Amino acid sequence: MGIFGFFNKEKKETLDKGLSKTKESVFSKITHAVIGKSKVDDAVLDDLEEVLIMSDVGVETTLKIIKRIEKRAAADKYVTTNELTTLLREEIAALLMENNTQDAESFTISHDAVPYVIMVVGVNGVGKTTTIGKLAYQFKQNGFNVCLGAADTFRAAAVEQLVIWGERVGVPVVKQKMGADPASVAFDTLNSAKANDADVVIIDTAGRLHNKVNLMNELTKIKNVMKKVIPDAPHEVLLVLDGSTGQNAFEQAKQFTAATEVNALAITKLDGTAKGGVVIGISDQFHIPVKYIGLGEGVEDLQVFRRAEFVNSLFGE
């Protein structure tokens, strides 16, 4: 059973609007890099490399893209600067296809994984709790019975925010008192979900990175306790990253992928930044599927990440 409908006109407009700052920034830089040039040569490639790095695509991923374009230009003998955008679109799309083992468009909830348990991780301030609320709304809109668990017990504001989201979208939130054991909250949430025939469970967790050992131990404990209720839980560990932080998002991805087995990414706040290239770099460097992108404040502004639509929106159809 799929969770999202087809990519309709409204979603495309939201995507185009959300990526407009990145698109405008990238295109203006590319235009400046190729002005007065008639073909893609070493000088153009050097300028393009700088543009991509400045757009937070990342050094390693940028070098991959440049090598691909260089190879294409050599094979085609003569490539004009007017064709450069087309080459970029095609090679970035190919890179995303290669480094995502699963396209979010085809995401389904397995019938033998009920409830489907998602553990959400990420530092404070990236939009983690908001993403959970929006996900809960999207799941519910598609007919699923959803339950939330407030396991970020170190911040009263986090619990309160999740409860507000639960009330807003009409889904129950399991919580305990401030400072309670996060694993205990997760345990109670899964038991409640099973008792109430929930289809999807989303567990919020604390976003502290000051001590990687404590973070690893805490997340491992939460996972181990959940397995006592549902042996194969969590089915998904979703890392939420703030796209507007650019290279800092790369560092957060490194920290969390080292601390726990992240198998899905959500990249938020892309509508307010020109750093949308970070989606390309993170997807490539960590070989973890980007499943969701945040493009605004509205409950429907969290979209399933579809590679082809993303690249088309960024570079034109």
Side-chain angles (χ1 to χ4, degrees):
M1 184 185 298
I3 64 165
F4 291 93
F6 294 105
F7 190 76
N8 57 31
K9 181 180 179 182
E10 289 75 17
K11 289 184 182 295
K12 184 180 185 305
E13 290 174 350
T14 300
L15 180 63
D16 289 344
K17 182 180 178 181
L19 294 178
S20 62
K21 290 186 178 181
T22 297
K23 182 176 181 178
E24 290 166 8
S25 174
V26 171
F27 268 119
S28 65
K29 291 174 182 175
I30 291 176
T31 300
H32 181 74
V34 303
I35 191 167
K37 308 289 179 64
S38 61
K39 67 175 183 177
V40 175
D41 55 18
D42 288 344
V44 170
L45 290 174
D46 286 343
D47 289 341
L48 179 60
E49 180 179 318
E50 183 178 349
V51 168
L52 292 175
I53 291 174
M54 293 297 290
S55 300
D56 285 281
V57 172
V59 175
E60 292 185 37
T61 302
T62 292
L63 293 177
K64 283 186 182 180
I65 295 170
I66 295 299
K67 285 182 180 179
R68 287 168 176 256
I69 292 176
E70 191 174 25
K71 186 176 180 180
R72 287 277 298 274
D76 295 341
K77 303 301 181 185
Y78 186 86
V79 176
T80 68
T81 53
N82 290 334
E83 297 173 295
L84 186 57
T85 299
T86 300
L87 286 181
L88 270 173
R89 183 181 67 243
E90 292 174 354
E91 294 307 326
I92 289 174
L95 199 65
L96 289 171
M97 291 293 288
E98 291 168 13
N99 291 300
N100 274 295
T101 56
Q102 176 183 332
D103 197 325
E105 187 174 12
S106 62
F107 175 65
T108 58
I109 293 177
S110 173
H111 289 288
D112 58 3
V114 178
Y116 185 84
V117 181
I118 304 171
M119 183 172 79
V120 182
V121 301
V123 301
N124 299 331
V126 297
K128 182 159 52 75
T129 307
T130 300
T131 297
I132 291 171
K134 292 177 179 179
L135 265 181
Y137 170 81
Q138 296 279 18
F139 279 119
K140 187 177 179 184
Q141 286 295 106
N142 284 271
F144 292 107
N145 183 10
V146 185
C147 179
L148 305 181
D152 184 356
T153 58
F154 296 94
R155 292 188 307 129
V159 177
E160 292 169 4
Q161 187 182 7
L162 196 66
V163 169
I164 290 170
W165 267 106
E167 293 172 350
R168 182 179 179 184
V169 303
V171 300
V173 178
V174 176
K175 63 175 183 175
Q176 292 184 13
K177 65 182 180 179
M178 178 70 177
D181 182 2
S184 175
V185 177
F187 183 83
D188 287 352
T189 303
L190 264 59
N191 277 319
S192 176
K194 288 184 68 175
N196 291 284
D197 296 321
D199 301 303
V200 183
V201 181
I202 309 176
I203 306 289
D204 191 13
T205 63
R208 299 166 302 154
L209 265 181
H210 65 279
N211 188 316
K212 287 184 287 185
V213 175
N214 286 346
L215 173 68
M216 186 179 297
N217 291 341
E218 183 177 294
L219 295 178
T220 299
K221 181 180 177 181
I222 292 172
K223 290 167 67 175
N224 289 339
V225 167
M226 286 196 286
K227 291 182 186 301
K228 293 180 180 180
V229 184
I230 300 174
D232 53 351
H235 306 99
E236 184 174 311
V237 179
L238 178 67
L239 171 61
V240 180
L241 299 168
D242 179 350
S244 69
T245 63
Q247 291 305 299
N248 193 37
F250 277 86
E251 183 58 32
Q252 291 173 22
K254 287 180 184 178
Q255 300 281 2
F256 276 95
T257 52
T260 191
E261 296 174 353
V262 175
N263 57 11
L265 299 172
I267 302 181
T268 65
K269 306 182 184 180
L270 292 175
D271 57 306
T273 181
K275 299 177 181 289
V278 72
V279 175
I280 300 165
I282 287 177
S283 172
D284 172 53
Q285 292 303 305
F286 294 94
H287 300 273
I288 299 172
V290 176
K291 297 192 78 170
Y292 311 106
I293 51 176
L295 299 163
E297 296 298 323
V299 291
E300 295 186 352
D301 290 337
L302 181 74
Q303 286 193 9
V304 166
F305 178 67
R306 295 179 174 90
R307 295 165 288 195
E309 282 82 0
F310 178 85
V311 175
N312 284 339
S313 182
L314 201 56
F315 292 101
E317 295 291 345

